């Protein structure tokens, strides 16, 4: 039987419980899950790629079929290099839909062998995004409901709490 592989791409700046929810649930359904930190050209970036990778690795250390990568190029090229034909994305609300449709349609155009599958984010996390968490953390509010403790520490350090 062949190995099932899926890629969870994103900017993860930083990883939140919303991402971890999708990762945990996907890890149950694929033999190998590959998390890939990529550049989103419309986002400036708060954490360095190395910092993001470290925060992700710490967050997924309980999952033995998950690997964390960084790729400096197109997502479909990463999938190609890895031999993966499934991308998993989380969908929080209707407001995500247009952006996700653009992303998926472009990826499909670039490589029609790669299929994107969407998973609804658990309702507890449906309002969480990295940007909102950073905004709240920058005002020195408590973000422990939205990110694991090591990410909270990294946010506090970044914003000098
Ligand atoms: O977490 P994000 O910021 O919504 O993730 C978006 C990301 C990084 C997956 C997307 O911007 C991406 O795939 N970037 C790599 C470049 C690419 O493949 N672009 C073509 C699709 S528009």
């Amino acid at each position: 039987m062949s190995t099932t592989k899926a890629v969870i791409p994103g900017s993860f700046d930083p990883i939140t419980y919303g991402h971890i929810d999708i990762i945990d649930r996907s890890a149950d359904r694929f033999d190998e899950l590959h998390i890939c930190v990529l550049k989103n050209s419309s986002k400036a970036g708060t954490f360095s790629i190395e910092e993001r990778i470290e925060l992700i690795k710490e967050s997924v250390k309980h999952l033995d079929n998950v690997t964390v990568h960084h790729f400096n190029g197109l997502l479909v090229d990463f999938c190609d290099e890895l031999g993966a034909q499934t991308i998993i994305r989380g969908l929080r609300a209707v407001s995500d839909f247009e952006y996700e449709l653009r992303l998926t349609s472009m990826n499909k155009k670039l490589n029609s062998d790669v299929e994107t599958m969407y998973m609804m984010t658990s309702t507890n996390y449906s309002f969480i995004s990295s940007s909102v968490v950073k905004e709240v953390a920058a005002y020195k509010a408590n973000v422990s409901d939205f990110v694991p403790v090591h990410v909270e520490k990294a946010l506090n350090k970044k914003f000098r709490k």
Side-chain angles (χ1 to χ4, degrees), residues 15 36 48 110 115 140:
I15 189 164
C36 188
S48 69
L110 292 168
E115 202 62 68
K140 320 243 182 293

Side-chain angles (χ1 to χ4, degrees), residues 9-12 38-41 43 73-76 89 99-100 103 106-107 110:
S11 34
F12 301 100
L38 292 128
K39 187 170 171 45
N40 180 335
S41 51
K43 292 181 182 168
L74 289 172
L75 169 56
V76 289
R89 294 277 291 173
Y99 167 64
E100 293 297 333
L103 209 86
M106 181 52 80
N107 286 334
L110 292 168

